[in-house]
Amino acid sequence: MKSISDLKISISGIRGIVGKSFTPRLILDFTQAFSTYVGKGKIAVASDSRPTRDMVKHAVFSGLIATGNTPVDLGILPIPSFQVYVKYSRANGGIDITASHNPVEWNALKLVLKGGRFPFSFEAEEIIDIYQQGTFRKENTFPKKVYEEDAFEYHRKRLLSFADLDVIKEKKIKVVVESCNGAASPYVEEFLKKLGCDIIVINNDVNSPFPHSPEPLPENLKQLSDAVKKYGADIGFAQDADADRLAVVDEKGEPIGEEYTLALGILSYLRYKKISPIVVNLSTSRIIEDIGKEFNVKVFRSKIGEINVVEEMLTYDSFIGGEGNGGIIAKDVHLCRDSFTGMVLILELLAKTGKKVSELKSSFNQYFIKKEKIKVSLRQSLLIMEELKEKYKNEKLDFKDGIRIEAGEFWALIRPSNTEPVIRVFIEGKDKEHVESLFKEISDEIKRLRR
Amino acid sequence: MNNLRVSSSGIRGIVPDGLNINIASDFASAFSTYMGEGKRIGVAIDGRKSGFLLSDAVISSLSATGSNVVFYKVLPTPILQYLIKNRKVDAGISITGGHNPSNWNALLLLDEAGFYLNSIESNEVFNIYHSKEFNKVGWQRLGKIEYNNIDLKDYIKKISELVNFDIIRKRKFKIVFDLSNGAVSSVIGEIARHFKIEAIFLNDKTEGYFAHNPEPNPETSSQVSSILKNFSFDGGFVFNSDGSRVSIVDEKGEAFSEEYTLSIVSKAYLLKKKTPIITTVSTSKMIDFVAKEYEVSIFRTKVGQSQVTHTMEARESFLGGEGSGSVCVRDFSNGYDSILSFLLILEYMAEKDLSLSEIRKEIPEFFLLKYKVPVAPGKMYGAINHLKEVFKGEKIDLTDGILVERKTGWFNVRVSTTEFILRVIIEAEDKEKAFKIKDELDEKLWGIL
C-alpha cells in the first residue's frame, strides 16, 4: 500500500502538514465551502499558537471575504473560549486554526457552527460535499474584517459564575500551570489569579515553540512535575495546545493520568453542582461507572469523538461528561471539552474536601488500562473487524463504534482509526497481568488475520 | 467573456469574475517561487474594496512558499518601489487597479530594484504560474509576516533633496488635491504639511467607493475645476488609485490633458540635469518640443511602465514617462511617481515664478484626441493587422500597434495591455484635422470589429 496522504478531511474539519498538503489553495477552498454552507454574517476566526498560524489565517480571511462573510479576528484563543465566543457573540459560525495535540508541523481548520458547537456528522458531510463540488458562493461585497479586543471575556464570565469563588479563593491553592506555550498562555495566569490561586506558570509564551509534544500525556509532564516538587505546589495543571484537554500532576509531582482528570471533574460536579446523567465515550475508564453508582446516576457511552459525546449529552439531558483523554465537558459553561472548566471543578473539589490530589485519586477503584495500536492497511481493517465480530460473538458486544467487549472484570474496545492505518485496542481491568494476556490474545488474532 | 488580463505588468481583472483568490494565490506563489526562498516581499493595496480579499490570499501564499512578507496596507505603488530601491524590502507586489474602474484589481510585480518585471522575467513567472510547481516549505521555513505602518520620513527626506524644498515652502502654495479614493490619500496629508502647502483634499477616503473613475484626465477633473473656478488657489492635481499618474488643473480651473504632465515635469527636471527622455510611441509630440528646448534626445518605446523604465536603464536615461500622466525620475526610483511629479511642477512654478496657465503656454498646443474602442479579446490583434495592411503605403512605425505619421498629424492604434479595448490617440494641428483622421479610422475598422 502507498503511504497515506497527510491530508485528513473529516467530521472535525480539515487537517494536514504545512509544506505538504496544507496549502493556501486548500485552505481557501475549504474556507469557502464552509462559508458558503453557514450563510452570510460574521464568522469568528482564531488560532492556537502554532508558528504557521498567520499563513493559515490570511487564507481563511480571504476565503471568508470572497464568499461575502465578515471575518472577526479573535487572535490567539483556546478552543473552548472560541466556541463560547461564537455562541454569545451571535456569530454565524467560526473557524479555529488549531491542530490540537498534533505535532507542530500540522495545522487544521476546526469548524464551529452557530451556537458554538462542532458540526454533527451529517452537517460535516454536507460541508465536505460542497468542498468536493468546488462551487462556492461568489460575492463582490468584500466585507472588511473586524478585530475583537478581548475575545476571552464571554468564557471568563461564564467560568467565574460557574465556580464557587469564595470557597476556592479562601484556600489560596498553590498551582503550577503549563499551557505548552499554547492558546491558553495569554489567559490562564490572569484567570487562576481571579480564583485566588498562588500561581506559578511555566511554558507560557505563545511566541516560543512547543516545549514538548503538545499532547498532555504523562511522558510530556516532566517539567511540570519538577516544578510542582520545586515549589511545593498543591497541584499541577497541563493544558494542550488548544486548551480543551487537561492533565493533572499531584502534590508529589506524580501525573495522575488523564482518566483521573475526568473522574475528578465529574466527581466534583456531581457532589457540588447538581445530579445529572453522565456521558462519556466508549474508551473511557470504568471509574466513571463507579462514580455513577455512587451518585445513582446513569452513565451513557457515546462513539469516539467530542461531538458524539455532546450529541448524547443533548439526547439524555446530561450536564456533565467528557472523554478519558482529559476532556471534561460541563454544560453550565458550554457543551465542549474545556480545560478551564476542568481546573475550576478540580480546584473546587480540593477546596471543599480539604484533601490532597493523591488522596482523592486513591479513593477511586484502581484499574489498569492499556491503549495500543496495531498496524493494519486500510483495505484490511474492515475485513478484520468483521472476523473479530465473529470470533467474539459469544461475548457481550456493542458495535456502536468498532467492537466493545464487556467481559465481567474487563472491557475491551477494538476500532479502526480514521486518521492512521491502524486498529486501536483499549483494554481495562483490575489486574495488570490479565489485561496484558487479553491484549496479547486480541493483538495476536489481529496479526494473524492481517496476513 | 474572460475578464482576466495578463501582461508584463502583472495580472489584472474584474474581481471576482476575472481575478479571484485562487488566481491571486497561484500568482503570488509563482512570484515567490521565482524570487527564491527567504526574500522580504513588500505588499501594498490601494484602497479598493477587493484589496484585503486579495492581499490576504497573497500574504498567505507568499508565506507558504517561503517568502517573508511586509504588509503596508494602503500605500502608493511608487512609495513601495522607492522602498525596494532603498533596500527596505527585496521585491514587491502592489495590489492595485491603477486607473481601472473600482470593480477591477491587479497584482503588479516589482523586482529587486523596484522596476515592473521585464518581459523575460514575467514570462518566467507565468511559466511557474501555469505549471503550478510552487516552492513548498515546512513550518520552520515559512515566511514571516510583518505588519508595517509606513514611516514616510525617509521618503520625504529623499524627495526634499531632489526638489528644492525651501523654494516650495516659501511660496506657500494653495492646492486642491483629488485623490480618487486611492492610495495617495494615505500619505498626501503629511507631504502637504511638510511642504507647507495649504490644501483641500477631495475623495480622500479609501473605503472602496469611487467618486469617479480613478483615471486622471479632464473629465475626472471636474470637481477640482469647479473649486478652482470659484476660489483662489494655485492649481489642482488629480491622482489615480496607486499614485502612478497625475493630471493638472490650472489656477483658473482649466483642466489640462494628462499629456501635459510629462512635458511640464520634464521642463522642471531638465533644469537640474540633462538626460535623454524615454517615452512611448503613443505619447503626444509636445515632449519633442521640450526635448528640443533643452537639447536632449528622445526615444520612444512600446507603451507600459515596464518598457519605459527598463529602456531608461538600458539607455542611461534618468527621465521618462507616458502621456497618461506618468513620470519616472530614475535617480529617485524606478517607477512612475505622481508625488514626485507634482512636487517638481510646484518647484518649477516657484523657481520661474509662473502660474500653471502661463507654463502651459510655453508648450505648443496640438489637438489631441484619445479614445477607446471596445473589442472582443479574440479580435484585438486581427484589427491591428488589418490596419497595418490598410496603411502600409504610408510612413508607419510598428513599435506598438500601428503608428502612422503624416504632415498634418499622427495617430497610433494599439491593443491595451490592461483592458479589452483598442486605444487610439490622434494628434493633429487642429480639431477638424483630428476628427478627419478619426472618421477615416472608424471607416477602416467598421465591419472587422
Side-chain angles (χ1 to χ4, degrees), chain A residues 38 98 237 254 291 293 410 450:
Chain A
V38 298
T98 172
F237 287 127
E254 284 298 316
I291 298 172
K293 260 183 214 132
F410 297 91
R450 172 173 81 175

Side-chain angles (χ1 to χ4, degrees), chain A residues 18-21 23-25 27-29 32 51-59 61-63 65-67 104-106 138-142 144-145 147 209, chain B residues 15-17 21-23 25-26 29 49-50 52-64 71 73 132 134 136-139 142-143 145 147 206-207:
Chain A
V18 174
K20 287 189 174 169
S21 65
T23 61
R25 279 295 294 273
I27 302 162
L28 288 174
D29 280 356
Q32 289 182 89
T52 56
R53 63 184 184 260
D54 284 340
M55 181 280 280
V56 180
K57 198 184 233 185
H58 282 284
F61 289 152
S62 187
I65 298 168
T67 40
V104 62
E105 64 272 20
W106 290 83
K138 221 159 67 172
E139 292 282 338
N140 58 6
T141 49
F142 313 129
K144 257 193 175 166
K145 62 179 154 280
Y147 297 89
Chain B
V15 189
D17 301 330
I21 55 178
N22 287 346
I23 293 170
S25 167
D26 283 356
S29 300
K49 266 186 126 31
S50 58
F52 284 105
L53 168 86
L54 297 173
S55 66
D56 280 325
V58 163
I59 290 167
S60 176
S61 306
L62 291 175
S63 170
F71 184 41
K73 295 190 187 161
K132 305 264 183 277
F134 310 132
K136 271 187 181 178
V137 300
W139 66 275
L142 220 56
I145 301 168
Y147 307 89
T206 51
E207 299 291 327

Side-chain angles (χ1 to χ4, degrees), chain B residues 9 36 145 237 255 288 304-306 355 380 440 444:
Chain B
S9 48
I145 301 168
F237 296 95
D288 293 40
Q305 179 168 160
S306 174
S355 70
M380 295 194 295
E440 186 186 347
K444 302 291 185 210

Side-chain angles (χ1 to χ4, degrees), chain B residues 319-337:
Chain B
L319 180 64
E322 300 183 51
S324 53
S326 329
V327 187
C328 170
V329 171
R330 217 166 52 81
D331 35 18
F332 186 65
S333 84
N334 293 316
Y336 293 156
D337 190 333

